[in-house]
Coordinates of all heavy atoms in Angstrom, one line a residue:
S20 N 340.0 67.7 150.1 CA 338.7 67.2 150.3 C 337.7 68.4 150.6 O 338.1 69.5 151.1 CB 338.6 66.3 151.5 OG 338.9 66.9 152.7
S21 N 336.5 68.2 150.3 CA 335.4 69.1 150.5 C 334.4 68.5 151.3 O 333.5 67.8 150.9 CB 334.8 69.5 149.1 OG 333.6 70.3 149.3
E22 N 334.5 68.7 152.7 CA 333.7 67.9 153.6 C 332.3 68.6 153.9 O 331.3 67.9 154.1 CB 334.5 67.7 154.9 CG 335.7 66.9 154.7 CD 336.4 66.5 155.9 OE1 336.0 66.9 157.0 OE2 337.5 65.9 155.9
Q23 N 332.3 69.9 153.8 CA 331.1 70.7 154.0 C 331.0 71.8 153.0 O 332.0 72.5 152.8 CB 331.0 71.3 155.4 CG 331.0 70.2 156.5 CD 330.9 70.8 157.9 OE1 330.6 72.0 158.1 NE2 331.1 70.0 158.9
P24 N 329.9 71.9 152.3 CA 329.8 72.8 151.1 C 330.1 74.2 151.4 O 330.5 75.0 150.5 CB 328.4 72.5 150.5 CG 327.7 71.9 151.7 CD 328.7 71.2 152.5
Y25 N 329.8 74.7 152.6 CA 329.9 76.1 152.9 C 331.1 76.4 153.8 O 331.3 77.5 154.2 CB 328.7 76.6 153.6 CG 327.4 76.5 152.7 CD1 326.5 75.5 153.0 CD2 327.3 77.3 151.6 CE1 325.4 75.4 152.2 CE2 326.1 77.2 150.8 CZ 325.2 76.2 151.1 OH 324.1 76.1 150.3
N26 N 332.0 75.4 154.0 CA 333.2 75.6 154.7 C 334.4 75.5 153.8 O 334.3 74.9 152.7 CB 333.4 74.6 155.9 CG 332.4 74.9 157.0 OD1 332.0 76.0 157.2 ND2 332.1 73.9 157.8
P27 N 335.6 76.1 154.2 CA 336.8 76.0 153.4 C 337.2 74.5 153.1 O 336.9 73.6 153.9 CB 337.9 76.7 154.2 CG 337.1 77.6 155.0 CD 335.8 76.9 155.4
I28 N 337.8 74.3 152.0 CA 338.3 72.9 151.7 C 339.4 72.5 152.7 O 340.0 73.4 153.3 CB 338.8 72.8 150.2 CG1 340.0 73.7 150.0 CG2 337.7 73.2 149.3 CD1 340.8 73.4 148.8
I29 N 339.7 71.3 152.7 CA 340.8 70.8 153.6 C 341.9 70.2 152.7 O 341.6 69.4 151.8 CB 340.2 69.7 154.6 CG1 339.1 70.3 155.5 CG2 341.4 69.1 155.4 CD1 338.5 69.3 156.3
V30 N 343.1 70.7 153.0 CA 344.3 70.2 152.3 C 345.0 69.1 153.1 O 345.5 69.5 154.2 CB 345.2 71.3 151.9 CG1 346.4 70.8 151.1 CG2 344.5 72.4 151.1
H31 N 345.0 67.9 152.7 CA 345.5 66.8 153.5 C 347.0 66.5 153.2 O 347.7 66.1 154.1 CB 344.7 65.5 153.3 CG 343.3 65.7 153.7 ND1 342.8 65.6 155.0 CD2 342.1 65.9 153.0 CE1 341.5 65.7 155.1 NE2 341.1 65.9 153.8
Q32 N 347.3 66.7 151.9 CA 348.7 66.3 151.5 C 349.1 67.2 150.3 O 348.4 67.3 149.4 CB 348.8 64.8 151.1 CG 350.1 64.4 150.6 CD 350.1 62.9 150.3 OE1 349.8 62.1 151.2 NE2 350.4 62.5 149.1
V33 N 350.4 67.7 150.4 CA 351.0 68.5 149.4 C 352.3 67.8 149.0 O 353.2 67.7 149.8 CB 351.2 69.9 149.8 CG1 352.0 70.7 148.7 CG2 349.9 70.6 150.1
P34 N 352.5 67.4 147.8 CA 353.7 66.7 147.4 C 354.9 67.7 147.3 O 354.8 68.8 146.9 CB 353.4 66.2 146.0 CG 352.3 67.1 145.4 CD 351.5 67.4 146.6
K35 N 356.0 67.2 147.8 CA 357.2 68.1 147.8 C 357.8 68.1 146.3 O 357.6 67.1 145.6 CB 358.3 67.5 148.7 CG 357.9 67.6 150.2 CD 359.0 67.0 151.1 CE 358.6 67.2 152.6 NZ 359.6 66.7 153.5
P36 N 358.4 69.2 145.9 CA 358.7 70.4 146.7 C 357.6 71.5 146.5 O 357.9 72.7 146.7 CB 360.0 70.9 146.0 CG 359.8 70.5 144.6 CD 359.0 69.2 144.6
W37 N 356.4 71.1 146.1 CA 355.3 72.1 146.0 C 355.0 72.7 147.4 O 355.2 72.1 148.4 CB 354.0 71.4 145.5 CG 354.1 71.1 144.0 CD1 354.6 70.0 143.5 CD2 353.7 72.0 143.0 NE1 354.5 70.0 142.1 CE2 353.9 71.3 141.8 CE3 353.2 73.2 142.9 CZ2 353.7 71.8 140.5 CZ3 352.9 73.8 141.7 CH2 353.1 73.1 140.5
Q38 N 354.6 74.0 147.4 CA 354.3 74.7 148.6 C 352.8 75.2 148.5 O 352.4 75.8 147.5 CB 355.3 75.8 148.8 CG 356.7 75.4 149.0 CD 357.7 76.5 148.9 OE1 357.3 77.7 148.8 NE2 358.9 76.2 149.1
L39 N 352.1 75.1 149.6 CA 350.8 75.6 149.7 C 350.8 77.1 150.1 O 351.3 77.5 151.1 CB 350.0 74.8 150.8 CG 348.5 75.3 151.0 CD1 347.7 75.0 149.8 CD2 347.9 74.6 152.2
L40 N 350.2 77.9 149.2 CA 350.2 79.4 149.5 C 348.9 79.7 150.3 O 348.9 80.7 151.0 CB 350.3 80.2 148.2 CG 351.6 80.1 147.4 CD1 351.5 81.0 146.2 CD2 352.7 80.6 148.3
G41 N 347.9 79.0 150.0 CA 346.6 79.3 150.7 C 345.5 78.4 150.2 O 345.6 77.7 149.1
S42 N 344.4 78.4 150.9 CA 343.2 77.7 150.4 C 341.9 78.4 150.8 O 342.0 79.2 151.8 CB 343.2 76.3 151.0 OG 343.2 76.3 152.4
G43 N 340.9 78.2 150.1 CA 339.6 78.9 150.4 C 338.5 78.0 150.3 O 338.6 76.8 150.5
N44 N 337.3 78.5 149.9 CA 336.1 77.7 149.9 C 336.0 76.7 148.8 O 335.3 75.8 148.8 CB 334.9 78.6 149.9 CG 334.6 79.3 151.2 OD1 335.1 78.8 152.3 ND2 333.9 80.4 151.2
Y45 N 336.8 77.0 147.7 CA 336.7 76.2 146.5 C 338.0 75.5 146.1 O 338.0 74.4 145.6 CB 336.3 77.0 145.3 CG 335.0 77.8 145.5 CD1 335.0 79.2 145.6 CD2 333.8 77.1 145.6 CE1 333.8 79.8 145.8 CE2 332.6 77.8 145.8 CZ 332.6 79.2 145.9 OH 331.4 79.8 146.1
A46 N 339.1 76.1 146.4 CA 340.4 75.6 145.8 C 341.6 75.9 146.7 O 341.5 76.7 147.7 CB 340.6 76.3 144.5

Side-chain angles (χ1 to χ4, degrees):
S20 68
S21 171
E22 298 185 1
Q23 297 182 11
Y25 299 106
N26 287 337
I28 67 166
I29 299 174
V30 181
H31 300 281
Q32 178 178 301
V33 176
K35 294 181 179 180
W37 287 90
Q38 299 171 357
L39 179 68
L40 293 179
S42 60
N44 287 339
Y45 304 111

